[in-house]
C-alpha cells in the first residue's frame, strides 16, 4: 500500500492534537504539511503547539505553516481557555520546538503541496476553513488538483455548539465554509451528530498516561482539562472525539456506517441561522429526487468500536 499524501489544517487545540497524533501514527497516509488557523487558540500559538507535538513524536520533517489570524468577515473571537487551556493544549508544558515555522503561509503551503502531488493530495480540516477558502481564492483550479477534502464541522440534525445552530469550525468563519462547501471537490463532512456520539473515557486517558511514550502521555495529560469541560455535556468526566474521528475517517481507519451524499449549504446571513450547515437530508423520509450536483458526504454514524480504534492507534505511537 502506498501512503497517500495528506495536508492537515487545524487550530491546535486538544482534540486537534489527538487528530495530529492519529495522523502521525497512520501508515495509510504521508503527512506532508500542516497549516494553522485561529480558533481554539490563535494561529501562531497553534503552529507552536503543532511543531512541539510533532517533535514529541520524534519527527522533524513535516512543514508547519501559520495561516489566517482571523475570519473573512469580522475578527477572531479569541481563544477558549475553559475548553482548551490558555495555550490551546490544556496548559500542559511541552519542550520548545527546535524548528521554525515554514516561510510561506498555510494557503500557499496548500497550493505548493497540491501542485507537487497533483490529483493525489488529500486535505483534512479540523478548524475554521479560512485557509482552504484563501487557497481557493488564490487558485480557483485547486479542486482539480486535490483528491478529496474531509472536514470536522457543522451539525446536521444536531444543534450547534456556539449558537443554537452553528458548530464552532463553521460558525467562526461562515463565509469561508460556504466557499469551501460550494467548491467542486469531493467533501466528507464529519459533524457534531457523530463526533458527540462517541467518547473517550477516564480508563482510556489512564492508558495514554501510562503508555511510557511522550506524545500519548502528553495527550493523556491535556485531556484532563477537556474532560472537565465535557462533564456538563455527558454527566461524567470524558470527552467527545471531534477531530480525531475526522482524521480517522480521512485516513480510512474508520469507515462510516451511515453517510449520505447530499447538498449542503452554509448560512452566511447575519441572523440567528448564521453558520448553520443546512444538509438536505429529506431523502431519508421522502421519495425525494436524487441530488445530481451533490458532492458532500455527511457522516451521521460510525460503528461502536470507534473509540477503541482511536485509542489503539494513539497508543501505537
Ligand atoms: C470543533 O471546534 C473546536 O473547538 C474543536 O477542536 C473541534 O474542531 C468542535 O466543534
Ligand atoms: Ca479543532
Amino acid at each position: 500500500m502506498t501512503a497517500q499524501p495528506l495536508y492537515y489544517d487545524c487550530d491546535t487545540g486538544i482534540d486537534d492534537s489527538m487528530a495530529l497524533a492519529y495522523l502521525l501514527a497512520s501508515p495509510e497516509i504521508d503527512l506532508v504539511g500542516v497549516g494553522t488557523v485561529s480558533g481554539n487558540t490563535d494561529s501562531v500559538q497553534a503552529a507552536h503547539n503543532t511543531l512541539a507535538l510533532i517533535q514529541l513524536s520524534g519527527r522533524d520533517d513535516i512543514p508547519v505553516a501559520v495561516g489566517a489570524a482571523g475570519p473573512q468577515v469580522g475578527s477572531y473571537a479569541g481563544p477558549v481557555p475553559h475548553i482548551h487551556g490558555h495555550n490551546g493544549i490544556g496548559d500542559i508544558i511541552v519542550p520548545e520546538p527546535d524548528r521554525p515555522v515554514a516561510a510561506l503561509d498555510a494557503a500557499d503551503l496548500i497550493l505548493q503541496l497540491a501542485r507537487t502531488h497533483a490529483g493525489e493530495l488529500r486535505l483534512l480540516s479540523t478548524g475554521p476553513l479560512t485557509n482552504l477558502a484563501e487557497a481557493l481564492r488564490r487558485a480557483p483550479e485547486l479542486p482539480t488538483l486535490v483528491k478529496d477534502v474531509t472536514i470536522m464541522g457543522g451539525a446536521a440534525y444536531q444543534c450547534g455548539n456556539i449558537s443554537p445552530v452553528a458548530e464552532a469550525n463553521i460558525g467562526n468563519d461562515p463565509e469561508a465554509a460556504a466557499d469551501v462547501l460550494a467548491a467542486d471537490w469531493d467533501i466528507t463532512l464529519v459533524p457534531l451528530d457523530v463526533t458527540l456520539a462517541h467518547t473517550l473515557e477516564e480508563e482510556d486517558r489512564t492508558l495514554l498516561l501510562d503508555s511510557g511514550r511522550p506524545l500519548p502521555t502528553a495527550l493523556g495529560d491535556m485531556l484532563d482539562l477537556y474532560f472537565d469541560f465535557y462533564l456538563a455535556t455527558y454527566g461524567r468526566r470524558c470527552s467527545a472525539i471531534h477531530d480525531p474521528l475526522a482524521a480517522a475517517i480521512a485516513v480510512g481507519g474508520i469507515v462510516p456506517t451511515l453517510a449520505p451524499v447530499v447538498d449542503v449549504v452554509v448560512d452566511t446571513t447575519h441572523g440567528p441561522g448564521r453558520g448553520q450547515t443546512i444538509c438536505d437530508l429529506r431523502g431519508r423520509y421522502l421519495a425525494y429526487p436524487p441530488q445530481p450536483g451533490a458532492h458532500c458526504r455527511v457522516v451521521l454514524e460510525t460503528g461502536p468500536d470507534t473509540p477503541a480504534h482511536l485509542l489503539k492507534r494513539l497508543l501505537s505511537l
Side-chain angles (χ1 to χ4, degrees), residues 16-26 215-216 219 313-314 317:
D16 304 82
S17 301
M18 290 195 287
L20 175 67
Y22 183 97
L23 296 173
L24 291 167
S26 292
L215 185 48
L219 297 177
R313 195 158 290 199
L314 293 177
L317 268 169

Side-chain angles (χ1 to χ4, degrees), residues 11 13 15-16 40 84 126-127 152 161 167-169 192 226 242-243:
D11 56 338
D15 57 331
D16 304 82
N40 296 325
H84 293 275
T126 65
M152 188 282 130
N161 60 2
E167 180 279 332
N169 291 338
L192 292 177
Y226 211 44
H242 308 297
D243 296 350

Side-chain angles (χ1 to χ4, degrees), residues 271-297:
R274 182 166 173 77
Q276 182 174 17
T277 44
I278 301 167
C279 305
D280 191 348
L281 293 163
R282 285 175 290 177
R284 292 195 74 189
Y285 305 111
L286 306 169
Y288 191 70
Q291 300 160 31
H295 54 103
C296 186
R297 184 169 71 125

Side-chain angles (χ1 to χ4, degrees), residues 9-13 16 35-47 65-72 74-80 106 125-131 168-173 176:
D9 204 274
C10 53
D11 56 338
T12 331
D16 304 82
T36 61
V37 61
S38 295
N40 296 325
T41 188
D42 67 76
S43 56
V44 172
Q45 178 68 40
V66 177
Q72 287 185 4
S75 51
Y76 173 44
V80 281
S125 171
T126 65
L129 288 156
T130 323
N131 294 332
N169 291 338
I170 306 298
N172 282 326
D173 194 343

